[in-house]
Amino acid sequence: MSIAEKFISMEYGPAPEDPKEAAGWLERHGRRFNLFIDGTWRDPAAAEYFDTLDPSNGEKLASVAQGNAADIDAAVRAARAAYPKWRTLTPHARARYLYALARLVQKHSRLLAVLETIDNGKPIRESRDIDIPLVARHFYYHAGWAQLLNQEFPDHEPCGVVGQIIPWNFPLLMLAWKIAPALATGNTVVLKPAEFTPLTALAFAELCEEAGLPAGVVNIVTGDGTTGEALVNHPDVNKIAFTGSTEVGRAIRGATAASHKRLSLELGGKSPFIIFEDADLDGAVEGLVDGIWFNQGQVCCAGSRLLMQESIAEKLLFKIQARMSSLRIGPPLDKAIDIGAIVARVQLDRIQRMVAQGIADGATCWQPEVVLPARGFYYPPTLLSNVQPTSIVAQQEIFGPVLAAMTFRTPREAVELANNTVYGLASCVWSENINVALQVAAQIKAGVVWVNCTNLFDAACGFGGYRESGYGREGGKEGLLEYMEPQWFKQAPKLPAANAISAPHAKETPDASTPAIDRTVKLYIGGKQARPDSGYSMEVHSAGGQLLGEAPLGNRKDIRNAVEAARKAEGWAKATAHNRAQVLYYCAENLALRRSEIANRLSAVVGVEQAAKEVDLSVERIFSYAAWADKFDGAVHSPPFRNIAIAMNEPIGVAGVICPTDAPLLGFLSLVMPLLAVGNTVVAVPSEKYPLIAGDLYQLFDTSDLPGGALNIVTGYASQLLKTLAEHDDVDTIWCYGDETTVASAKAMSTGNLKQVWTNEGRVIDWFDPKVAEGRWFLEHATQVKNIWVPYGE
Ligand code: NAI
């Protein structure tokens, strides 16, 4: 046998990582762990424990405390008590704690990597070379942000006490993604690890002790979903950050709707992995290994849907099968293992069930001939080809080492298939043609696009989803913003419930000083005036009770038409920022020309003084957003790989807007303009108090070259129209200004497609104060960041 032949046939010998240190750590704790609350280790209130298992052999590793509502309450109290001091520490002092945590993670990296592997089942190669180094990187990066906080985010405050709930697929890394930004910005934390993988979070609690972190700043409460639920429902928590299944994310959205808890959700995905015929196919196949077989495919951004250009499909499938045959599956502590164990029996059952369903749906299943270890939870790498786009395995997250393959012919078809999902977490595009790759990247609705690479992460690059993959970002500057609020907003007074949308308009004695302007306006849909479907209208009265005119009573059908028009007008998003700016400037110019006429009409409702102020400030506000249109741009990150990551501020899509009642013109424009400036299309419900403003507005937009459908105006009872907008599956975001009840209902009704909801939380926004009523804060909520990773070098 030649050396070359020997080389090919040579088998790997076992190369097990030494588990002694981790075993010693478990033994030192008597293989039993309590809760870390207020800097001490406490027995759980109900004295209950659950087992955490080693999925590679099914054996028990330790007993872990099952925290209940009383434990969560104790942890939240500790976090609340620690908050004032932690918040007011100097940024430098907080930076040093984070830096110390980063150093300690590095110092104990071997223990942490082995613990992660025995608790989760992931190959030691991954926990050692990917998870733990990224954990340290996250703390270093955020130590830097803590240091720079006051310079970069003046006038911001932390949210307060944050509740964080994490999954089992990247236990310590998800902890780092959550805790590092929270601490850097001055919040205190209660974190609930996943029940399958609590060990590294407990080891991290010890690092907090070692770093001398003040008691109560970080609290770790282990337990199952009920523990998570108690944290979500605790009234003294200011923010919930969740990573996990879309189903639980939806439940959390519903559960927090009536509170003012801020919410960020990082949920599931069904990410497309697109390979064009001109791609470096061997490179792409290696990418797939990292895309779908990394961490046994239990990755929210796994490239689980392979979209191959038809011309290369056969050749590619052959290459993939050849590569799959050389993947090594076995005990995860072996350093030469590619695929370790599935986290738990229930997850293994779920994978088996879904693959069987895929085959029943007509898919062809191929698996290499591998011998799985006799004990533990293992599943072989699996390729499903001939998958129909509607099949369960093409639509639902399997969360296992299973690739579902489909073909496409043209780039356009590739984009259509890629976006044919309710999710939008990540995607990969493989092509040697940079023009095609970037054009496709721009069209994919996902928070991350990896061009000719896959599953790269860095603390400097925000990560998070579009659509039902959730909202909010983790990492980067945008990730920090999830943990802070403008100072003024935290202190803003409550909007009195009397101002609630739909409040009856007082009919007082007619006021002789305001002239009667009897007029009737229409709805404005798709760039045209439209009669309401109902045929009904509502009377509009002056402050003195005089009849001013009639506005249509829009209904569900009108909203649906308006949403359809807004969706069709998405070309607005593709207009250049310069063009959008020009249109907005033109609007401002036209409003200035009609200043006295509009102010005169408005004065009947808000008085002469406010009317004049509203119109003048409105001109300014439109000018501001025209100015922002080509300046609210993204960033280019330099992660520590040979890549650049282009962070683009993209519009969210179709926005439904419920406008303030009290400043009919200025309030409307303050919400609609930032959305339009960055390319969203809008369906707006104007002030119920003075819906006649719609007439002035559509004349304004008609004469300013705004494309038809970019802005649609539906007058009527705001609470009814809000319901239709919030429940509409083709609306991507709701902006709702109203009292507490109204904004709570906006959140509760929008759980269906998990649309992003931004509200005033029932607080007053002073539209007449440009320092609070315009600018970045609005634009940040009108956009979502997409990171496009592009490698360089040979
Ligand atoms: P899960 O969403 O139930 O669990 C994630 C975390 O949420 C855990 O800490 C859990 O204890 C907690 N939790 C569960 N119910 C809760 C509730 N009502 N309120 C508050 N917290 C709650 O995910 P699970 O059951 O572990 O996995 C099921 C499927 O979810 C997987 O097969 C996979 O498809 C998906 N998944 C997605 C993840 C992602 O990163 N996108 C992570 C984990 C699971």
PDB file of all heavy atoms in Angstrom, residues 636-655:
ATOM      1  N   VAL A 636     -19.638  49.874   8.843  1.00  0.00           N
ATOM      2  CA  VAL A 636     -18.855  48.736   8.364  1.00  0.00           C
ATOM      3  C   VAL A 636     -18.028  48.236   9.538  1.00  0.00           C
ATOM      4  O   VAL A 636     -17.221  48.979  10.094  1.00  0.00           O
ATOM      5  CB  VAL A 636     -17.939  49.140   7.198  1.00  0.00           C
ATOM      6  CG1 VAL A 636     -17.122  47.936   6.740  1.00  0.00           C
ATOM      7  CG2 VAL A 636     -18.759  49.684   6.047  1.00  0.00           C
ATOM      8  N   HIS A 637     -18.292  47.016   9.950  1.00  0.00           N
ATOM      9  CA  HIS A 637     -17.552  46.454  11.080  1.00  0.00           C
ATOM     10  C   HIS A 637     -16.343  45.677  10.584  1.00  0.00           C
ATOM     11  O   HIS A 637     -16.349  45.140   9.483  1.00  0.00           O
ATOM     12  CB  HIS A 637     -18.444  45.480  11.866  1.00  0.00           C
ATOM     13  CG  HIS A 637     -19.689  46.114  12.406  1.00  0.00           C
ATOM     14  ND1 HIS A 637     -19.669  47.195  13.244  1.00  0.00           N
ATOM     15  CD2 HIS A 637     -20.997  45.819  12.214  1.00  0.00           C
ATOM     16  CE1 HIS A 637     -20.917  47.523  13.564  1.00  0.00           C
ATOM     17  NE2 HIS A 637     -21.739  46.710  12.939  1.00  0.00           N
ATOM     18  N   SER A 638     -15.347  45.617  11.436  1.00  0.00           N
ATOM     19  CA  SER A 638     -14.170  44.795  11.100  1.00  0.00           C
ATOM     20  C   SER A 638     -14.044  43.689  12.135  1.00  0.00           C
ATOM     21  O   SER A 638     -13.346  43.851  13.122  1.00  0.00           O
ATOM     22  CB  SER A 638     -12.890  45.619  11.141  1.00  0.00           C
ATOM     23  OG  SER A 638     -13.153  46.935  10.783  1.00  0.00           O
ATOM     24  N   PRO A 639     -14.760  42.593  11.934  1.00  0.00           N
ATOM     25  CA  PRO A 639     -14.637  41.487  12.878  1.00  0.00           C
ATOM     26  C   PRO A 639     -13.238  40.856  12.785  1.00  0.00           C
ATOM     27  O   PRO A 639     -12.536  41.063  11.790  1.00  0.00           O
ATOM     28  CB  PRO A 639     -15.717  40.511  12.416  1.00  0.00           C
ATOM     29  CG  PRO A 639     -16.002  40.868  11.011  1.00  0.00           C
ATOM     30  CD  PRO A 639     -15.679  42.300  10.829  1.00  0.00           C
ATOM     31  N   PRO A 640     -12.853  40.107  13.799  1.00  0.00           N
ATOM     32  CA  PRO A 640     -11.500  39.551  13.774  1.00  0.00           C
ATOM     33  C   PRO A 640     -11.344  38.346  12.848  1.00  0.00           C
ATOM     34  O   PRO A 640     -10.816  37.321  13.214  1.00  0.00           O
ATOM     35  CB  PRO A 640     -11.264  39.154  15.243  1.00  0.00           C
ATOM     36  CG  PRO A 640     -12.609  39.014  15.842  1.00  0.00           C
ATOM     37  CD  PRO A 640     -13.560  39.820  15.036  1.00  0.00           C
ATOM     38  N   PHE A 641     -11.873  38.443  11.653  1.00  0.00           N
ATOM     39  CA  PHE A 641     -11.642  37.435  10.612  1.00  0.00           C
ATOM     40  C   PHE A 641     -11.323  38.227   9.364  1.00  0.00           C
ATOM     41  O   PHE A 641     -11.411  39.443   9.372  1.00  0.00           O
ATOM     42  CB  PHE A 641     -12.902  36.609  10.308  1.00  0.00           C
ATOM     43  CG  PHE A 641     -13.662  36.157  11.520  1.00  0.00           C
ATOM     44  CD1 PHE A 641     -14.809  36.825  11.923  1.00  0.00           C
ATOM     45  CD2 PHE A 641     -13.233  35.061  12.240  1.00  0.00           C
ATOM     46  CE1 PHE A 641     -15.522  36.406  13.042  1.00  0.00           C
ATOM     47  CE2 PHE A 641     -13.937  34.645  13.350  1.00  0.00           C
ATOM     48  CZ  PHE A 641     -15.081  35.313  13.755  1.00  0.00           C
ATOM     49  N   ARG A 642     -11.020  37.530   8.277  1.00  0.00           N
ATOM     50  CA  ARG A 642     -10.786  38.271   7.031  1.00  0.00           C
ATOM     51  C   ARG A 642     -12.136  38.552   6.380  1.00  0.00           C
ATOM     52  O   ARG A 642     -12.503  37.977   5.364  1.00  0.00           O
ATOM     53  CB  ARG A 642      -9.893  37.454   6.114  1.00  0.00           C
ATOM     54  CG  ARG A 642      -8.439  37.455   6.561  1.00  0.00           C
ATOM     55  CD  ARG A 642      -7.581  36.836   5.526  1.00  0.00           C
ATOM     56  NE  ARG A 642      -8.227  35.628   5.012  1.00  0.00           N
ATOM     57  CZ  ARG A 642      -7.904  35.018   3.898  1.00  0.00           C
ATOM     58  NH1 ARG A 642      -6.955  35.500   3.142  1.00  0.00           N
ATOM     59  NH2 ARG A 642      -8.517  33.928   3.501  1.00  0.00           N
ATOM     60  N   ASN A 643     -12.886  39.406   7.049  1.00  0.00           N
ATOM     61  CA  ASN A 643     -14.235  39.736   6.587  1.00  0.00           C
ATOM     62  C   ASN A 643     -14.512  41.186   6.898  1.00  0.00           C
ATOM     63  O   ASN A 643     -13.972  41.717   7.863  1.00  0.00           O
ATOM     64  CB  ASN A 643     -15.265  38.942   7.397  1.00  0.00           C
ATOM     65  CG  ASN A 643     -15.604  37.628   6.775  1.00  0.00           C
ATOM     66  OD1 ASN A 643     -16.511  37.550   5.966  1.00  0.00           O
ATOM     67  ND2 ASN A 643     -14.870  36.601   7.134  1.00  0.00           N
ATOM     68  N   ILE A 644     -15.382  41.758   6.105  1.00  0.00           N
ATOM     69  CA  ILE A 644     -16.021  42.972   6.587  1.00  0.00           C
ATOM     70  C   ILE A 644     -17.492  42.629   6.794  1.00  0.00           C
ATOM     71  O   ILE A 644     -18.024  41.759   6.106  1.00  0.00           O
ATOM     72  CB  ILE A 644     -15.899  44.163   5.610  1.00  0.00           C
ATOM     73  CG1 ILE A 644     -16.299  43.740   4.204  1.00  0.00           C
ATOM     74  CG2 ILE A 644     -14.525  44.764   5.641  1.00  0.00           C
ATOM     75  CD1 ILE A 644     -16.532  44.903   3.285  1.00  0.00           C
ATOM     76  N   ALA A 645     -18.117  43.266   7.734  1.00  0.00           N
ATOM     77  CA  ALA A 645     -19.552  43.074   7.922  1.00  0.00           C
ATOM     78  C   ALA A 645     -20.212  44.428   7.697  1.00  0.00           C
ATOM     79  O   ALA A 645     -19.934  45.390   8.404  1.00  0.00           O
ATOM     80  CB  ALA A 645     -19.848  42.539   9.310  1.00  0.00           C
ATOM     81  N   ILE A 646     -21.049  44.471   6.668  1.00  0.00           N
ATOM     82  CA  ILE A 646     -21.704  45.730   6.312  1.00  0.00           C
ATOM     83  C   ILE A 646     -23.039  45.764   7.048  1.00  0.00           C
ATOM     84  O   ILE A 646     -23.922  44.944   6.782  1.00  0.00           O
ATOM     85  CB  ILE A 646     -21.968  45.793   4.795  1.00  0.00           C
ATOM     86  CG1 ILE A 646     -20.683  45.461   4.019  1.00  0.00           C
ATOM     87  CG2 ILE A 646     -22.515  47.147   4.394  1.00  0.00           C
ATOM     88  CD1 ILE A 646     -20.930  45.113   2.568  1.00  0.00           C
ATOM     89  N   ALA A 647     -23.169  46.691   7.983  1.00  0.00           N
ATOM     90  CA  ALA A 647     -24.412  46.793   8.755  1.00  0.00           C
ATOM     91  C   ALA A 647     -25.291  47.836   8.082  1.00  0.00           C
ATOM     92  O   ALA A 647     -24.973  49.019   8.083  1.00  0.00           O
ATOM     93  CB  ALA A 647     -24.108  47.191  10.192  1.00  0.00           C
ATOM     94  N   MET A 648     -26.384  47.382   7.498  1.00  0.00           N
ATOM     95  CA  MET A 648     -27.267  48.286   6.762  1.00  0.00           C
ATOM     96  C   MET A 648     -28.518  48.554   7.591  1.00  0.00           C
ATOM     97  O   MET A 648     -29.106  47.624   8.134  1.00  0.00           O
ATOM     98  CB  MET A 648     -27.732  47.639   5.458  1.00  0.00           C
ATOM     99  CG  MET A 648     -26.664  46.887   4.709  1.00  0.00           C
ATOM    100  SD  MET A 648     -26.367  47.525   3.084  1.00  0.00           S
ATOM    101  CE  MET A 648     -27.968  47.674   2.392  1.00  0.00           C
ATOM    102  N   ASN A 649     -28.944  49.808   7.622  1.00  0.00           N
ATOM    103  CA  ASN A 649     -30.223  50.134   8.243  1.00  0.00           C
ATOM    104  C   ASN A 649     -31.300  49.954   7.191  1.00  0.00           C
ATOM    105  O   ASN A 649     -31.439  50.786   6.301  1.00  0.00           O
ATOM    106  CB  ASN A 649     -30.234  51.582   8.730  1.00  0.00           C
ATOM    107  CG  ASN A 649     -29.360  51.768   9.950  1.00  0.00           C
ATOM    108  OD1 ASN A 649     -29.175  50.831  10.723  1.00  0.00           O
ATOM    109  ND2 ASN A 649     -28.817  52.954  10.113  1.00  0.00           N
ATOM    110  N   GLU A 650     -32.064  48.878   7.302  1.00  0.00           N
ATOM    111  CA  GLU A 650     -33.101  48.623   6.297  1.00  0.00           C
ATOM    112  C   GLU A 650     -34.475  48.991   6.854  1.00  0.00           C
ATOM    113  O   GLU A 650     -34.716  48.878   8.056  1.00  0.00           O
ATOM    114  CB  GLU A 650     -33.098  47.144   5.900  1.00  0.00           C
ATOM    115  CG  GLU A 650     -31.856  46.743   5.141  1.00  0.00           C
ATOM    116  CD  GLU A 650     -32.052  45.467   4.319  1.00  0.00           C
ATOM    117  OE1 GLU A 650     -32.947  44.671   4.646  1.00  0.00           O
ATOM    118  OE2 GLU A 650     -31.299  45.300   3.342  1.00  0.00           O
ATOM    119  N   PRO A 651     -35.379  49.401   5.959  1.00  0.00           N
ATOM    120  CA  PRO A 651     -36.746  49.655   6.445  1.00  0.00           C
ATOM    121  C   PRO A 651     -37.377  48.352   6.926  1.00  0.00           C
ATOM    122  O   PRO A 651     -36.965  47.268   6.520  1.00  0.00           O
ATOM    123  CB  PRO A 651     -37.467  50.170   5.197  1.00  0.00           C
ATOM    124  CG  PRO A 651     -36.645  49.729   4.040  1.00  0.00           C
ATOM    125  CD  PRO A 651     -35.237  49.619   4.519  1.00  0.00           C
ATOM    126  N   ILE A 652     -38.378  48.471   7.783  1.00  0.00           N
ATOM    127  CA  ILE A 652     -39.013  47.258   8.308  1.00  0.00           C
ATOM    128  C   ILE A 652     -40.050  46.732   7.322  1.00  0.00           C
ATOM    129  O   ILE A 652     -40.276  45.545   7.214  1.00  0.00           O
ATOM    130  CB  ILE A 652     -39.650  47.552   9.684  1.00  0.00           C
ATOM    131  CG1 ILE A 652     -38.542  48.011  10.653  1.00  0.00           C
ATOM    132  CG2 ILE A 652     -40.346  46.323  10.249  1.00  0.00           C
ATOM    133  CD1 ILE A 652     -39.043  48.504  11.987  1.00  0.00           C
ATOM    134  N   GLY A 653     -40.681  47.615   6.570  1.00  0.00           N
ATOM    135  CA  GLY A 653     -41.659  47.165   5.572  1.00  0.00           C
ATOM    136  C   GLY A 653     -42.896  48.027   5.617  1.00  0.00           C
ATOM    137  O   GLY A 653     -42.817  49.246   5.503  1.00  0.00           O
ATOM    138  N   VAL A 654     -44.045  47.377   5.820  1.00  0.00           N
ATOM    139  CA  VAL A 654     -45.298  48.122   5.890  1.00  0.00           C
ATOM    140  C   VAL A 654     -45.575  48.466   7.354  1.00  0.00           C
ATOM    141  O   VAL A 654     -45.611  47.581   8.204  1.00  0.00           O
ATOM    142  CB  VAL A 654     -46.467  47.294   5.319  1.00  0.00           C
ATOM    143  CG1 VAL A 654     -47.791  48.013   5.535  1.00  0.00           C
ATOM    144  CG2 VAL A 654     -46.238  47.008   3.845  1.00  0.00           C
ATOM    145  N   ALA A 655     -45.763  49.757   7.615  1.00  0.00           N
ATOM    146  CA  ALA A 655     -45.990  50.205   8.989  1.00  0.00           C
ATOM    147  C   ALA A 655     -47.422  50.687   9.151  1.00  0.00           C
ATOM    148  O   ALA A 655     -47.942  51.413   8.306  1.00  0.00           O
ATOM    149  CB  ALA A 655     -45.028  51.341   9.330  1.00  0.00           C
TER     150      ALA A 655
END
